[in-house]
């Protein structure tokens, strides 16, 4: 629609259902599920209003989002239909972005002048694990988890010559 500014969007597997976060002048932003967009049988339903973070976990076709309010938690909804429900876990909430992949909520913490910690929170068990410590200033608003969970794409903000970085995650034993 002409009055909508789409902030984020995701497409369903069948290609005829989309979810997008929109900003409409004079209104609070909203998360909208749209079936058959642009067609005569287009149907829309508002999943939530005043959302901040939105992500789609393709591994199980689940949409995750958090409201803009403090302590609002993380909610999930089936991509194609259904209402949103609160994730029944003590999800580590903080300012900044998170991504959901393979049932885990990935986020950065301990953002300091030269170090950033990447974490993965298992939404089923509630287990929070440290994945990596990066010796770089990371713009946590822009990162993606690779499909095999063995790497991330991110935007380092302490390098003038790098727009996008890739980090391969390797598990190894530490020695003194």
């Amino acid at each position: 629609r002409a009055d909508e500014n789409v902030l984020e969007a995701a497409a369903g597997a069948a290609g005829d259902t989309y979810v997008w976060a929109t900003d409409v002048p004079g209104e609070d932003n909203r998360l909208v599920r749209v079936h058959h967009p642009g067609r005569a049988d287009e149907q829309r339903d508002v999943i939530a209003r005043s959302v901040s973070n939105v992500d789609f976990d393709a591994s199980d076709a689940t949409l995750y989002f958090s409201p803009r309010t403090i302590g609002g938690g993380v909610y999930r909804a089936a991509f194609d239909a259904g209402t949103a429900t609160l994730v029944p876990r003590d999800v580590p909430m903080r300012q900044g972005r998170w991504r959901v992949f393979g049932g885990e909520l990935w986020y950065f913490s301990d953002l300091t002048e030269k170090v950033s910690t990447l974490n993965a929170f298992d939404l089923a068990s509630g287990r929070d694990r440290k994945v990596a410590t990066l010796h770089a200033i990371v713009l946590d608003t822009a990162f993606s988890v690779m499909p095999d969970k063995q790497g991330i794409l991110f935007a380092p903000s302490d390098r003038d010559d790098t727009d996008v970085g890739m980090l391969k995650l390797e598990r190894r034993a530490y020695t003194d």
Side-chain angles (χ1 to χ4, degrees), residues 83-154:
T83 59
T85 58
L86 182 65
V87 173
R89 295 276 174 221
D90 187 18
V91 178
M93 293 303 296
R94 46 169 295 286
Q95 295 295 328
R97 302 284 287 179
W98 43 259
R99 296 285 181 232
V100 178
F101 188 78
E104 292 181 312
L105 184 141
W106 293 64
Y107 67 99
F108 282 99
S109 66
D110 307 323
L111 299 172
T112 64
E113 188 174 321
K114 286 288 182 182
V115 177
S116 305
T117 303
L118 178 64
N119 304 278
F121 180 83
D122 187 296
L123 291 162
S125 71
R127 182 176 159 250
D128 196 13
R129 65 185 172 92
K130 178 177 162 181
V131 176
T133 299
L134 287 73
H135 295 280
I137 300 171
V138 176
L139 294 175
D140 65 341
T141 59
F143 76 96
S144 295
V145 180
M146 302 302 286
D148 62 2
K149 296 185 182 180
Q150 298 300 308
I152 61 169
L153 294 174
F154 65 101

Side-chain angles (χ1 to χ4, degrees), residues 18-168:
Y18 297 82
V19 172
W20 54 66
T22 65
D23 184 30
V24 178
E27 297 181 22
D28 219 352
N29 69 359
R30 57 187 170 222
L31 189 60
V32 181
R33 184 183 294 119
V34 183
H35 298 282
H36 317 294
R39 293 183 6 196
D41 60 342
E42 178 180 303
Q43 296 175 344
R44 291 173 171 238
D45 60 293
V46 176
I47 299 168
R49 294 184 185 279
S50 189
V51 295
S52 60
N53 290 348
V54 178
D55 202 14
F56 173 63
D57 188 351
S59 70
D60 64 356
T62 303
L63 181 70
Y64 291 88
F65 66 92
S66 59
R68 209 181 275 165
T69 57
I70 302 285
V74 173
Y75 289 78
R76 78 171 122 225
F79 188 85
D80 291 326
T83 59
T85 58
L86 182 65
V87 173
R89 295 276 174 221
D90 187 18
V91 178
M93 293 303 296
R94 46 169 295 286
Q95 295 295 328
R97 302 284 287 179
W98 43 259
R99 296 285 181 232
V100 178
F101 188 78
E104 292 181 312
L105 184 141
W106 293 64
Y107 67 99
F108 282 99
S109 66
D110 307 323
L111 299 172
T112 64
E113 188 174 321
K114 286 288 182 182
V115 177
S116 305
T117 303
L118 178 64
N119 304 278
F121 180 83
D122 187 296
L123 291 162
S125 71
R127 182 176 159 250
D128 196 13
R129 65 185 172 92
K130 178 177 162 181
V131 176
T133 299
L134 287 73
H135 295 280
I137 300 171
V138 176
L139 294 175
D140 65 341
T141 59
F143 76 96
S144 295
V145 180
M146 302 302 286
D148 62 2
K149 296 185 182 180
Q150 298 300 308
I152 61 169
L153 294 174
F154 65 101
S157 64
D158 60 342
R159 302 279 311 253
D160 291 334
D161 63 343
T162 305
D163 293 329
V164 176
M166 181 170 173
L167 174 71
K168 182 177 180 183

Side-chain angles (χ1 to χ4, degrees), residues 1-13:
R1 296 182 177 164
D3 64 338
E4 290 180 321
N5 177 24
V6 176
L7 306 172
E8 296 185 59

